Amino acid sequence: MKWLSEVKLGIVLLQGVAPNTAMVAGVRRVILTARTKYQEVQIVEFQDFGRGLVLDGYIQSTEADEHIYHESLVQPAMTTHPDPRRALIIGGGEGATLREVLKHRTVKEVIMVDIDGELVDFARKYLDFMHRGSFNDPRAKVVIEDGLKYIRETPSNQFDVVINDLTDPYGPEIGRKLYSVEFYSELKKLMKTDGILATQAGNSFFFPNVYREIVGSLREVFRVVREYWTWIPSFGYACNYLIASDAHDPLQLSVESVNEVLRVRGVSNKYYDGTLHVAMLRNKVVIGWNSQTWG
Ligand code: SAM
């Protein structure tokens, strides 16, 4: 093992993983650096992860493993819902979450609400391998708006599935407020009575207090709340996900039933299938010991 001081990495991105831990990612070149109204946006070519999106210094998704993150976020909820026709995405600027929802031929309309229109424009231009043209799908509608404002102005009882693909709950202020009981209570009004919500939830090992708070908030609003996580190499940690609903329970699905839904709906994935669904949902999520709160 060579110590960092002996390794000539050139440009690196030091990605905070926890209050006192960081991952060092070698950078081949920086394709874009821009300050939008909401965040600093970088499109970077990493030595080990290919092209990726970085917001305020945090890796959001990379060519090498974005499919792991996005399929894990979207597919369990979409597959658990018996007939997902109308979906709402909050966040998801790269367009990959939108891509994942549109894979299901039951879907008639997806509304993607992201606060940062400049970021979405950069994604359209530089991240085509992520959105793969999903922004132009006739079923897709992109709304540039704060998710919190959007849900307050939208009629109720609309959506079968809602996916929150936001910046981390301990990340920039713009995303943090969309992990609260108030937000989930408002969001639930937009969902049909058998609607399903899925959200990324940061990392339970390094941010146990924040994670516990999100789980508690969802449990106050929904009858069923299920937890799972999966390793995302370019994040340097396992990303936690939560699924919530009053009507459907992802834990009840079998390997066979998931694979049958994917087959019937014509969904092909690189990572997610029935075996993975059961393994993730039955796997134990580890809550860290670090009682230090960050931010
Ligand atoms: N994969 C990333 C992760 O795991 O942290 C998250 C993906 S995505 C890039 C995060 C998105 O959330 C960004 O496009 C950002 O603009 C959006 N966002 C943050 N706060 C928001 C808000 N209040 N309303 C709508 N979108 C928001």
Side-chain angles (χ1 to χ4, degrees), residues 26-237:
V27 169
R28 195 184 307 283
R29 69 187 176 112
V30 179
I31 297 166
L32 168 95
T33 293
R35 176 90 217 163
T36 70
K37 183 179 169 194
Y38 297 100
Q39 47 209 337
E40 182 183 73
V41 179
Q42 288 174 300
I43 308 279
V44 174
E45 203 82 45
F46 291 100
Q47 303 272 14
D48 294 337
F49 302 117
R51 183 171 295 197
L53 173 67
V54 179
L55 293 181
D56 292 332
Y58 289 91
I59 294 174
Q60 302 294 308
S61 49
T62 70
E63 204 167 346
D65 59 7
E66 62 84 10
H67 64 287
I68 301 175
Y69 171 84
H70 291 104
E71 288 183 23
S72 300
L73 171 63
V74 175
Q75 296 305 330
M78 287 296 289
T79 307
T80 300
H81 195 288
D83 186 19
R85 294 167 183 251
R86 297 196 77 239
L88 172 67
I89 297 167
I90 301 182
E94 305 97 323
T97 297
L98 180 60
R99 173 198 80 208
E100 289 300 314
V101 170
L102 288 167
K103 280 180 178 176
H104 292 252
R105 60 166 66 111
T106 54
V107 169
K108 304 289 178 254
E109 183 181 34
V110 199
I111 298 178
M112 173 186 144
V113 180
D114 200 291
I115 198 168
D116 195 335
E118 292 170 277
L119 166 60
V120 173
D121 290 342
F122 290 138
R124 285 178 194 270
K125 184 173 177 192
Y126 294 103
L127 302 175
D128 47 357
F129 60 88
M130 284 207 210
H131 60 71
R132 283 184 233 151
S134 56
F135 291 122
N136 305 322
D137 188 302
R139 296 172 292 168
K141 183 178 169 210
V142 179
V143 173
I144 301 304
E145 181 60 275
D146 179 341
L148 197 53
K149 186 167 178 294
Y150 176 83
I151 67 168
R152 286 178 177 153
E153 294 169 1
T154 298
S156 57
N157 192 28
Q158 292 238 9
F159 299 104
D160 299 302
V161 176
V162 177
I163 308 282
N164 285 353
D165 183 15
L166 293 157
T167 41
D168 288 323
Y170 33 79
E173 193 49 42
I174 52 172
R176 277 192 209 186
K177 54 188 192 257
L178 283 73
Y179 290 90
S180 67
V181 184
E182 298 69 34
F183 177 73
Y184 292 135
S185 306
E186 301 246 8
L187 187 59
K188 186 175 178 179
K189 293 174 195 155
L190 271 64
M191 295 163 63
K192 291 181 184 164
T193 47
D194 74 335
I196 296 182
L197 164 67
T199 183
Q200 78 100 348
N203 180 267
S204 58
F205 182 81
F206 291 119
F207 296 91
N209 302 339
V210 171
Y211 178 75
R212 280 194 195 91
E213 229 175 279
I214 300 169
V215 176
S217 297
L218 282 172
R219 287 214 166 111
E220 276 192 48
V221 178
F222 293 94
R223 186 180 66 82
V224 175
V225 177
R226 297 294 182 202
E227 307 170 55
Y228 60 101
W229 66 347
T230 197
W231 180 256
I232 310 289
S234 63
F235 286 9
Y237 56 79

